[in-house]
Amino acid sequence: MQNIDYHDTTVRVRYAETDQMGVVYHANYLIWFEVGRVELMRALGIEYKRMEIDDDCHIVVVDVRCRYINSARYDEELCIRTRIAESRNRTIRFSYEVRRDSGQELLAVGETLHVICGSNGKPKLLPEKYRAILGTAPVSNPIGSQS
């Protein structure tokens, strides 16, 4: 598996994601964080669905942060840049940048912290096969930093 610093995912703002003025509603950024996170994991060779089915391993969100800098609007293409900020035995922290794809203008930065749990809801160790992959991911800059 190759070592990657980040993964970029492109999304287009849908009409349903905006308010009456055509500006993206703030909660949609959290959905885009999830899209970026899933695609980063897939790029690393890890599928959430397989983790849950094969290893009873769920990545539960326990903290979310988002700082809004500029507005996104209907029909714009956005780039969601996702990094693994930190990977430990029982937790993973992801960081995100949302940029306007046309000019790379920074719109928002954020991070999510996840605890590894079994289907019983209790924390557990991340299986070694995933730690081996996630442990190779470099630590990124903290929320709010420019890259």
Side-chain angles (χ1 to χ4, degrees), residues 2-137:
Q2 70 178 19
N3 183 1
I4 61 174
D5 184 35
Y6 61 86
H7 187 269
D8 287 344
T9 303
T10 301
V11 297
R12 183 175 296 277
V13 177
R14 297 172 298 173
Y15 188 77
E17 296 169 320
T18 64
D19 62 18
Q20 188 175 12
M21 297 181 298
V23 174
V24 170
Y25 178 68
H26 70 277
N28 287 299
Y29 288 82
L30 304 182
I31 294 168
W32 297 335
F33 288 177
E34 179 184 2
V35 170
R37 184 169 63 245
V38 168
E39 293 306 320
L40 169 62
M41 298 287 280
R42 190 182 317 277
L44 289 169
I46 300 172
E47 291 184 49
Y48 270 168
K49 190 174 195 174
R50 296 278 30 119
M51 286 179 80
E52 293 175 349
I53 294 169
D54 297 345
D55 301 300
D56 187 32
C57 188
H58 303 263
I59 301 175
V60 178
V61 178
V62 295
D63 188 40
V64 176
R65 297 168 193 261
C66 186
R67 191 173 113 226
Y68 304 96
I69 299 163
N70 290 299
S71 297
R73 298 187 175 276
Y74 169 66
D75 205 36
E76 290 182 323
E77 274 196 357
L78 307 178
C79 175
I80 315 304
R81 178 163 287 180
T82 308
R83 291 180 170 87
I84 296 173
E86 181 180 59
S87 179
R88 297 181 178 252
N89 289 336
R90 295 178 193 263
T91 62
I92 305 172
R93 184 181 310 274
F94 295 89
S95 66
Y96 312 89
E97 296 173 0
V98 179
R99 295 181 179 270
R100 200 174 325 279
D101 203 35
S102 60
Q104 292 296 305
E105 178 185 7
L106 188 62
L107 304 178
V109 293
E111 65 181 29
T112 55
L113 176 63
H114 304 256
V115 172
I116 311 308
C117 292
S119 56
N120 61 4
K122 295 184 180 184
K124 66 183 272 183
L125 289 175
L126 183 65
E128 178 57 38
K129 67 183 181 182
Y130 302 120
R131 279 189 278 159
I133 295 168
L134 299 173
T136 64

